[in-house]
Amino acid sequence: MLTGCTATTPVDADWSTTTTGDGSVADDVRRLLAEVRRVDRRPDVPGYDRDCGPGDGCVFGTEWSDDTAAPLGRNGCDTRNDVLAASLAGVRFSERSPTCDVVGGLLRDPYTGTVIDYATDGSQIHVDHLFPLAAAWDLGAARWTPQERATFANDPELELLAVSGSANLSKGDSTPASWLPPHRPYRCAYVTAYLEVALAYDLAVTAADVRVIEPVLESSC
């Protein structure tokens, strides 16, 4: 038996625009670009190890840990289910865990613009780190404490997004310099969100990222 509730993101959401302040979307992106820390190129910082088995580095903590200071942390529900519950339209939970264990709902994938049914294709929905963890390690997170990195990796408000698994695998550890969502109407919102994460966590963006982002704000924002 399944229980249901309404998700916060409708399946017919319009990804072509993003929320702005008093100015235009493009002006907001320019402001973010002016404020983020920049580096010429992404350094190769040794020590990145996401695995958490015996002898592994586990530098961003256990995957989808609820035991962090991130928003919704320690609410009794793992981070992946927190993100799914907020992202699926018509989200449904299992009877055994009626406020946490997501078993159904529809995702309007921002990366591809397609709709994915979690009940039948749940394995095709991934939770993506907008600012890839490997890139975050190289661009500032290596200096953080383990607790700070775990909080970042489980931040559902800024850093995490439910998306198509195939698009997420295509993205990999790429930053905007080498990957943008194939769904063009979402690109403005994507680069805006990327810069917001960078600014909130003092992560650097590279000169190559900036060279890609600037045309996006002219063509898509």
Side-chain angles (χ1 to χ4, degrees):
M1 179 178 177
L2 303 177
T3 59
C5 71
T6 302
T8 58
T9 302
V11 72
D12 59 350
D14 179 9
W15 297 116
S16 62
T17 59
T18 191
T19 302
T20 68
D22 295 332
S24 69
V25 176
D27 286 343
D28 280 2
V29 182
R30 291 188 185 96
R31 175 184 57 80
L32 291 168
L33 271 175
E35 293 179 2
V36 295
R37 184 164 56 88
R38 299 189 189 189
V39 293
D40 288 339
R41 60 180 59 85
R42 174 177 164 181
D44 183 10
V45 179
Y48 176 72
D49 184 357
R50 192 176 172 185
D51 293 334
C52 290
D56 293 321
C58 198
V59 296
F60 282 93
T62 305
E63 189 174 44
W64 311 135
S65 173
D66 185 43
D67 188 20
T68 75
L72 302 184
R74 305 186 179 97
N75 68 347
C77 187
D78 67 272
T79 306
R80 175 177 166 81
N81 276 298
D82 281 335
V83 174
L84 292 174
S87 303
L88 301 182
V91 66
R92 300 191 304 278
F93 300 93
S94 72
E95 187 177 52
R96 291 177 299 176
S97 181
T99 60
C100 179
D101 184 20
V102 174
V103 296
L106 298 177
L107 175 71
R108 167 75 182 275
D109 171 35
Y111 285 177
T112 65
T114 60
V115 175
I116 305 173
D117 186 341
Y118 187 85
T120 58
D121 295 304
S123 64
Q124 301 305 311
I125 297 177
H126 290 190
V127 175
D128 180 38
H129 291 90
L130 259 167
F131 203 116
L133 296 185
W137 175 266
D138 290 338
L139 295 166
R143 300 191 300 268
W144 302 347
T145 67
Q147 292 78 14
E148 289 170 335
R149 288 193 291 267
T151 294
F152 170 77
N154 289 279
D155 182 346
E157 294 185 353
L158 289 176
E159 167 66 353
L160 300 176
L161 193 66
V163 300
S164 155
S166 59
N168 187 41
L169 292 173
S170 173
K171 174 187 173 185
D173 293 329
S174 300
T175 67
S178 54
W179 189 89
L180 289 172
H183 186 49
R184 289 181 176 273
Y186 185 67
R187 288 184 175 181
C188 178
Y190 178 76
V191 299
T192 302
Y194 186 90
L195 293 172
E196 287 172 340
V197 174
L199 189 60
Y201 284 94
D202 191 29
L203 293 168
V205 298
T206 67
D209 291 328
V210 174
R211 285 195 295 271
V212 170
I213 290 171
E214 286 178 334
V216 169
L217 68 91
E218 297 299 335
S219 63
S220 302
C221 295

